[in-house]
mmCIF file of all heavy atoms in Angstrom:
data_model
loop_
_atom_site.group_PDB
_atom_site.id
_atom_site.type_symbol
_atom_site.label_atom_id
_atom_site.label_comp_id
_atom_site.label_asym_id
_atom_site.label_seq_id
_atom_site.Cartn_x
_atom_site.Cartn_y
_atom_site.Cartn_z
ATOM 1 N N GLN A 106 100.092 93.830 94.289
ATOM 2 C CA GLN A 106 99.922 95.240 94.612
ATOM 3 C C GLN A 106 101.032 95.770 95.485
ATOM 4 O O GLN A 106 101.535 96.866 95.292
ATOM 5 C CB GLN A 106 98.597 95.461 95.308
ATOM 6 C CG GLN A 106 98.314 96.924 95.616
ATOM 7 C CD GLN A 106 96.987 97.149 96.358
ATOM 8 O OE1 GLN A 106 96.023 96.504 95.953
ATOM 9 N NE2 GLN A 106 97.031 97.938 97.393
ATOM 10 N N GLY A 111 105.886 99.182 95.728
ATOM 11 C CA GLY A 111 107.323 99.364 95.931
ATOM 12 C C GLY A 111 108.008 100.034 94.711
ATOM 13 O O GLY A 111 108.796 100.942 94.868
ATOM 14 N N SER A 115 109.255 103.994 95.042
ATOM 15 C CA SER A 115 110.706 104.172 95.042
ATOM 16 C C SER A 115 111.187 104.964 93.847
ATOM 17 O O SER A 115 112.168 105.681 93.934
ATOM 18 C CB SER A 115 111.406 102.782 95.130
ATOM 19 O OG SER A 115 111.146 102.128 96.358
ATOM 20 N N TYR A 141 101.428 111.658 98.363
ATOM 21 C CA TYR A 141 100.829 111.838 97.031
ATOM 22 C C TYR A 141 100.306 113.276 97.075
ATOM 23 O O TYR A 141 99.138 113.552 97.380
ATOM 24 C CB TYR A 141 99.653 110.892 96.784
ATOM 25 C CG TYR A 141 100.042 109.440 96.786
ATOM 26 C CD1 TYR A 141 99.009 108.471 96.818
ATOM 27 C CD2 TYR A 141 101.347 108.999 96.641
ATOM 28 C CE1 TYR A 141 99.319 107.130 96.751
ATOM 29 C CE2 TYR A 141 101.628 107.615 96.581
ATOM 30 C CZ TYR A 141 100.637 106.684 96.664
ATOM 31 O OH TYR A 141 100.971 105.368 96.628
ATOM 32 N N VAL A 147 98.358 128.043 90.151
ATOM 33 C CA VAL A 147 98.560 129.259 90.927
ATOM 34 C C VAL A 147 97.349 130.152 90.826
ATOM 35 O O VAL A 147 97.011 130.928 91.791
ATOM 36 C CB VAL A 147 99.836 129.987 90.425
ATOM 37 C CG1 VAL A 147 99.989 131.327 91.118
ATOM 38 C CG2 VAL A 147 101.073 129.148 90.705
ATOM 39 N N SER A 157 94.853 107.487 100.032
ATOM 40 C CA SER A 157 94.443 106.264 99.421
ATOM 41 C C SER A 157 93.700 105.341 100.303
ATOM 42 O O SER A 157 93.812 105.404 101.517
ATOM 43 C CB SER A 157 95.639 105.559 98.815
ATOM 44 O OG SER A 157 96.335 106.358 97.880
ATOM 45 N N LYS A 166 90.665 106.388 105.136
ATOM 46 C CA LYS A 166 91.404 107.103 106.234
ATOM 47 C C LYS A 166 90.533 108.247 106.798
ATOM 48 O O LYS A 166 89.646 108.759 106.119
ATOM 49 C CB LYS A 166 92.764 107.597 105.705
ATOM 50 C CG LYS A 166 93.648 106.415 105.302
ATOM 51 C CD LYS A 166 94.949 106.904 104.722
ATOM 52 C CE LYS A 166 95.795 105.745 104.240
ATOM 53 N NZ LYS A 166 97.116 106.130 103.701
ATOM 54 N N GLU A 170 87.557 110.885 105.208
ATOM 55 C CA GLU A 170 86.200 110.971 105.788
ATOM 56 C C GLU A 170 85.918 112.410 106.228
ATOM 57 O O GLU A 170 84.846 112.960 106.136
ATOM 58 C CB GLU A 170 86.078 109.958 106.925
ATOM 59 C CG GLU A 170 86.202 108.510 106.428
ATOM 60 C CD GLU A 170 86.542 107.527 107.549
ATOM 61 O OE1 GLU A 170 86.631 107.968 108.744
ATOM 62 O OE2 GLU A 170 86.709 106.313 107.239
ATOM 63 N N ALA A 208 101.799 113.439 118.729
ATOM 64 C CA ALA A 208 103.089 113.813 118.122
ATOM 65 C C ALA A 208 103.760 114.960 118.815
ATOM 66 O O ALA A 208 104.877 115.315 118.495
ATOM 67 C CB ALA A 208 102.924 114.108 116.635
ATOM 68 N N SER A 215 93.245 128.382 113.058
ATOM 69 C CA SER A 215 93.351 128.987 111.705
ATOM 70 C C SER A 215 92.550 130.244 111.630
ATOM 71 O O SER A 215 91.687 130.499 112.502
ATOM 72 C CB SER A 215 92.917 127.984 110.690
ATOM 73 O OG SER A 215 93.773 126.816 110.650
ATOM 74 N N PRO A 220 89.799 123.602 110.654
ATOM 75 C CA PRO A 220 90.942 122.769 111.149
ATOM 76 C C PRO A 220 92.108 123.672 111.604
ATOM 77 O O PRO A 220 92.379 124.715 111.002
ATOM 78 C CB PRO A 220 91.359 121.957 109.897
ATOM 79 C CG PRO A 220 90.131 121.961 109.045
ATOM 80 C CD PRO A 220 89.487 123.222 109.267
ATOM 81 N N ARG A 222 96.168 124.671 112.433
ATOM 82 C CA ARG A 222 97.393 124.494 111.725
ATOM 83 C C ARG A 222 98.483 124.046 112.686
ATOM 84 O O ARG A 222 98.283 124.124 113.905
ATOM 85 C CB ARG A 222 97.827 125.730 110.977
ATOM 86 C CG ARG A 222 97.984 126.963 111.849
ATOM 87 C CD ARG A 222 98.212 128.214 110.964
ATOM 88 N NE ARG A 222 98.280 129.451 111.720
ATOM 89 C CZ ARG A 222 99.371 130.015 112.234
ATOM 90 N NH1 ARG A 222 100.563 129.390 112.052
ATOM 91 N NH2 ARG A 222 99.325 131.095 112.921
ATOM 92 N N VAL A 254 93.788 127.229 98.187
ATOM 93 C CA VAL A 254 94.396 128.046 99.246
ATOM 94 C C VAL A 254 93.672 129.311 99.447
ATOM 95 O O VAL A 254 93.417 130.081 98.539
ATOM 96 C CB VAL A 254 95.879 128.273 98.873
ATOM 97 C CG1 VAL A 254 96.539 129.146 99.977
ATOM 98 C CG2 VAL A 254 96.658 126.995 98.662
ATOM 99 N N ALA A 266 116.465 138.161 102.614
ATOM 100 C CA ALA A 266 116.493 139.636 102.734
ATOM 101 C C ALA A 266 115.429 140.355 101.894
ATOM 102 O O ALA A 266 115.045 141.435 102.169
ATOM 103 C CB ALA A 266 117.892 140.177 102.440
ATOM 104 N N ARG A 280 109.616 112.471 100.722
ATOM 105 C CA ARG A 280 109.395 111.076 100.925
ATOM 106 C C ARG A 280 110.057 110.268 99.792
ATOM 107 O O ARG A 280 109.921 110.622 98.610
ATOM 108 C CB ARG A 280 107.892 110.761 100.981
ATOM 109 C CG ARG A 280 107.529 109.391 101.531
ATOM 110 C CD ARG A 280 107.740 109.364 103.062
ATOM 111 N NE ARG A 280 107.207 108.130 103.580
ATOM 112 C CZ ARG A 280 107.895 106.948 103.655
ATOM 113 N NH1 ARG A 280 109.069 106.845 103.165
ATOM 114 N NH2 ARG A 280 107.213 105.863 104.158
ATOM 115 N N ARG A 316 129.470 115.607 71.126
ATOM 116 C CA ARG A 316 128.236 114.830 71.441
ATOM 117 C C ARG A 316 128.534 113.373 71.768
ATOM 118 O O ARG A 316 127.809 112.743 72.579
ATOM 119 C CB ARG A 316 127.239 114.911 70.260
ATOM 120 C CG ARG A 316 126.723 116.276 69.874
ATOM 121 C CD ARG A 316 125.513 116.239 69.026
ATOM 122 N NE ARG A 316 125.659 115.372 67.843
ATOM 123 C CZ ARG A 316 126.095 115.840 66.657
ATOM 124 N NH1 ARG A 316 126.446 117.113 66.512
ATOM 125 N NH2 ARG A 316 126.182 115.037 65.633
ATOM 126 N N GLU A 333 122.811 130.313 74.648
ATOM 127 C CA GLU A 333 121.976 130.911 73.619
ATOM 128 C C GLU A 333 122.637 130.983 72.222
ATOM 129 O O GLU A 333 121.938 131.091 71.242
ATOM 130 C CB GLU A 333 121.541 132.327 74.026
ATOM 131 C CG GLU A 333 120.686 132.363 75.269
ATOM 132 C CD GLU A 333 120.329 133.815 75.672
ATOM 133 O OE1 GLU A 333 119.621 134.474 74.862
ATOM 134 O OE2 GLU A 333 120.791 134.228 76.713
ATOM 135 N N LEU A 354 147.620 122.162 73.696
ATOM 136 C CA LEU A 354 147.860 122.334 72.256
ATOM 137 C C LEU A 354 149.245 122.202 71.878
ATOM 138 O O LEU A 354 149.635 121.789 70.805
ATOM 139 C CB LEU A 354 147.258 123.688 71.794
ATOM 140 C CG LEU A 354 145.791 123.872 72.013
ATOM 141 C CD1 LEU A 354 145.392 125.266 71.480
ATOM 142 C CD2 LEU A 354 145.027 122.821 71.205
#
Side-chain angles (χ1 to χ4, degrees):
Q106 183 180 316
S115 293
Y141 296 168
V147 173
S157 298
K166 297 178 181 178
E170 296 161 4
S215 296
R222 58 189 175 89
V254 178
R280 197 72 171 86
R316 298 197 307 271
E333 296 178 65
L354 297 181

